[in-house]
Amino acid sequence: MSIAAPSNPKEITLRGIILGILITLVFTAAQVYLGLKVGLTFATSIPAAVISMALLSAFKDATIQENNIVQTIASAAGTLASVIFVLPGLLMIGWWAHVPFWPTFGACAIGGVLGVMYTVPLRRALVSQSNLPYPEGVAAAEVLKVGMASRAGAAEGKAGLRAVIWGALTSALFAAGAAAKLMAAEVSIYFRTGAGATAGATGIGASSSLALIGAGHLMGITVGVAMGVGTIIAWGVLVPLMTSLTPAAAGVDAAGHALGVWSKEVRMIGAGVIGIAAIITLAGLAKPILGGLKSAMETARKAKLEGAVMDRTEMDMPIYIVGLVTLIALVPAGWLLASFLQGGPLMSLAVPLVAVGVGYILIAGIFAAAVCGYMAGLIGSSNSPVSGIAILTILGAALSVGFVGRSVMGPEVAQALIAFALFVTTVVLAVAVIGNDNLQDLKTGQLVNATPWKQQVGLLIGVAAGSCVVPPVLELLNHANGFVGAPNLDAISNEPLAAPQALLISTLAKGVIGGNLDWKLLGYGVLIGLALVLINFVLKKSSNDKYSLPPLGVGLAIYLPSAVITPVVIGAVAGWVFDRAVEKRAGGESAKRIGVLVMSGFIVGESLFNVALAGLIVLSGKGEPLAIANSMSEGTTMTIALVVGTAIVWSLYRWSAKNGRAVHQQ
């Protein structure tokens, strides 16, 4: 394979497009499940790059730029799946009983196309002329360079493919053990924090999930520590305090008491923390974003006036095509919104609602794409505050459509307005996350001498492929499991998926339009969030930006269940320990990269197994088709899960270190 940068290297090829689409289909399915289960997604660029290099190594004429296009196409999977942070809300409020293909496809595809278009003018300002670190974009570029530059690099590429496969197989088998009831799906302990009428309750839980361990490793120690702090605030302070103020009903045990108060009260405080942290973060970005837009327009103007011949590596999609595609995309966007209202109680308001919806997608989409793109450069696309963007977007959408529909308000109208606000928010979120991904990919492309406009075309291909996968996988999981808070009339299993982000977004929409949002609890969260912002500022200032405590990470840990957060924190700490242990050894950097790929495999394997399990549930009509009857106690199954999970993680970390040394010796 060639790593050279000829004047016209092989980039967009039929084999690369096919491979990129296949990887996108697999990773999108995995991401949809992971997001619905835990409210988190992961970046797919690095595992996609490794898989691409390993498979295209069979072709002597494959180039680093061709492999970059493959990872660009596949990276859409890691971002477009984020629309499931909103879409299940339409099922939760009872607007949809099933997930329709075309409206869902349309929302994903239109939002994705606009996300690419909106960020094309930002490339020069935020990528090529910027000092933003783009941690994930740089990491993906390093993987591509190392994997193609030498014999050792080729060996690492093959070891990396094995790492993804081993991680996927072990996590799938581990998940199968839980599905078979041979070990506990969750390890937890809950207890009373006092005695008498004012006794509180609290506890901690950890899902038996290697995917969450992998997600923690990929997020890193900074986010892991922030989530650990959020867990302490939620379960060490707020839950004991608020359960002591709300006595348990007769017959309710410690677990029921603690989880009940957390779900009704504490997680709304977490939503307040997320909201204020997002607003303050976004406010701080206004100046650099406006400066970036100005710089991009100035560069385009100079190039046109001076007639300069641009280098291949500086050629974006022509700005007139960007503008034309944007305008054309607004037409199907309007048709999609009008179709959504067809035959419903808002037909009389269809014209103003569609106008408001299209205008909101246009304006809020530009803002969200720019902000998310900047945040991708600052902290990486996996850590970008998509939750905060979604919260702000639904609040704005709910207020806008609520204002239009205030004259005909009633129970059916309120539900229809909530549904419309959720649908508009889905499109805006697709714009935001693809804009986020586009700039991250363009940074990778800059470092490997790729052609920007070809990457932008590649991402559009990924958007189309991912948009085809989201609706059927979402409907499969809806039919098999259903979602917490939804009627789930046709769900087979009695274990609905949490879909935590969608639950929050739909709750906020109902509260704003129905006028019954618990602003008091949100206000408490805002106060905690302001304190965390101040602490983060002081910490960064006193350590010269060496240490930080991201308030969004803390807020997510207060809002999400401890069963989700605990393994993520464990994974972050374990990853940090592993990296420190191998970094000064021979092959340490290779071992780190292989470890990242093992953890990516954990996520893919478990998620795909559970998607397949959902298919088996639908086919068999049984809620637990793999369950094996046994007489083991709950404590025994928890112990088995702990021992087996620890053994797998420890063994594969050792395997990663060993392969890192072997690669170094090549």
Side-chain angles (χ1 to χ4, degrees), residues 127-179:
V127 178
S128 60
Q129 299 172 5
S130 168
N131 59 0
L132 289 169
Y134 285 97
E136 289 171 1
V138 172
E142 286 302 307
V143 167
L144 287 168
K145 288 178 180 178
V146 169
M148 300 191 66
S150 64
R151 181 181 171 188
E156 183 177 320
K158 291 177 181 176
L161 180 60
R162 291 196 300 272
V164 173
I165 292 171
W166 271 115
L169 287 175
T170 52
S171 68
L173 288 172
F174 189 74

Side-chain angles (χ1 to χ4, degrees), residues 7 46 58 343 358 508 564:
S7 58
I46 291 176
V358 171
L508 291 174
V564 168

